[in-house]
Amino acid sequence: MTDDIAASLNALIPKGYLRAAVNLANIALVQLDPNTGAFEGVSPQLAREFAERLGCRVEFVAYPSAASILERVDQDEWDIAFLAADPAREDRLLFSPAYALIEGTLVVQEATSYRTLLDLDAEGVEICVTRNAAYDLYLSRRLVHAKILHSPTPGEALEMLVEGRHHAAAGVRQALERFASARKGFRVLVESFLVIRQTIAVSGSSQNAGRLVREFVEEALQHGFSENVVRDAQRNGVALAKK
C-alpha cells in the first residue's frame, strides 16, 4: 500500500471501519426492516459495496432527517453520508457524483385546484417542508410569494398538513405517494419541481477521503451498478444516475 493510499484510508475510516450515515426519512433510498433491524435499499447496498472495496466492515448510523446528519458533520459520528448535493452545503461537505436521481414534489388536499408549484406560489399559501432538506433549500431560493413553514422531520410536515395547518407539504415523491395512498383526501402533484441529485458526501475538510468516495461512484457509473443496487432501485422506483 502506498503512502498516498494509506493516508486516504486513514482520513476516510479513522476507526478502521466505515461509518455510513443514512437518512431514514428518505424511504426511496433507505428502508429499515422492523423485524430484523437490517438496513435495505440503494444507499445501504452502496455502503456495503464501498466497505468491501475498502476491505473493512460497515456500520450504519441512522438519522431521522438530512438536517440531523448535517448537524453532526463535525462530531465524528460518521465517515460518509448519503445526502443530496446542494450549493448551500458545499461549505461543509464534499460530494461525489450523483448515484441516483429522485423527485421532489408536493402533496395537497384532494379537493384543491393546485396542479403545479407555480399555482402554490401565491400570497397566503403556506408550504411545510423539512428543515434543511434538499427541497427546502431549493424552495427557499425559488418561492416568491408562498410562505415556508419548517418541521423537524417529513412525518411531522405531513401531520401538519393533515391537521389543516397549511396548504401543501413538500417531499420525496415515494414518501408522499405512500402517505397519499394511506390517507384519504390527499393527492400528490404530477409535476416534480426538483430532480434531487443523491450523492455520497464526506466532511469538507478531507480531500483524501473525498477522492476515494468520488472514485468509487465514478467506477460504478462507468461500468454499471451491481445487480443488487439495480434491483433495489427498480423495487423502489429510483432512477440510477448515468455517466
Side-chain angles (χ1 to χ4, degrees):
M1 181 183 297
T2 67
D3 290 343
D4 286 346
I5 295 176
S8 296
L9 280 174
N10 288 335
L12 179 62
I13 49 172
K15 303 293 186 183
Y17 59 91
L18 184 67
R19 297 171 295 173
V22 292
N23 173 12
L24 292 179
N26 192 343
I27 65 169
L29 296 173
V30 183
Q31 303 92 46
L32 178 61
D33 188 316
N35 297 318
T36 66
F39 290 91
E40 301 174 347
V42 171
S43 297
Q45 184 58 35
L46 281 173
R48 294 185 185 97
E49 293 177 10
F50 188 34
E52 183 177 355
R53 175 185 176 124
L54 297 173
C56 68
R57 62 186 172 89
V58 60
E59 287 195 2
F60 294 101
V61 188
Y63 295 88
S65 65
S68 56
I69 296 177
L70 291 163
E71 289 169 358
R72 314 304 291 178
V73 170
D74 300 319
Q75 302 302 312
D76 193 30
E77 291 184 359
W78 50 263
D79 304 312
I80 63 171
F82 289 86
L83 289 167
D86 189 274
R89 296 172 174 173
E90 291 176 352
D91 60 332
R92 290 170 290 169
L93 298 169
L94 297 174
F95 297 103
S96 75
Y99 66 85
L101 306 173
I102 60 177
E103 299 178 27
T105 188
L106 296 147
V107 61
V108 298
Q109 293 184 3
E110 195 167 33
T112 62
S113 61
Y114 302 123
R115 292 291 182 270
T116 68
L117 177 62
L118 185 61
D119 294 338
L120 282 153
D121 192 10
E123 294 293 340
V125 172
E126 296 179 336
I127 302 174
C128 193
V129 303
T130 308
R131 186 179 300 278
N132 282 334
Y135 43 86
D136 173 30
L137 300 175
Y138 176 82
L139 291 174
S140 296
R141 295 189 293 262
R142 171 76 182 273
L143 292 175
V144 177
H145 304 290
K147 180 180 179 181
I148 291 177
L149 301 179
H150 288 110
S151 67
T153 66
E156 290 175 76
L158 292 171
E159 285 307 311
M160 289 171 68
L161 181 63
V162 171
E163 294 167 5
R165 292 165 57 186
H166 55 274
H167 300 83
V172 172
R173 179 174 295 281
Q174 287 89 337
L176 299 186
E177 288 180 344
R178 176 185 290 186
F179 164 80
S181 67
R183 299 268 194 147
K184 291 184 178 180
F186 297 94
R187 60 181 170 82
V188 178
L189 300 192
V190 174
E191 178 190 79
S192 298
F193 62 80
L194 177 65
V195 175
I196 304 170
R197 298 171 55 250
Q198 294 293 327
T199 73
I200 304 177
V202 299
S203 171
S205 62
S206 184
Q207 294 287 336
N208 286 335
R211 185 172 68 253
L212 286 178
V213 171
R214 183 176 65 253
E215 290 173 352
F216 169 69
V217 176
E218 286 177 344
E219 184 174 312
L221 293 171
Q222 183 70 37
H223 301 291
F225 292 91
S226 71
E227 291 183 3
N228 288 333
V229 171
V230 172
R231 180 200 62 224
D232 285 340
Q234 292 175 340
R235 183 173 64 228
N236 293 288
V238 173
L240 293 173
K242 299 179 180 179
K243 186 69 175 178

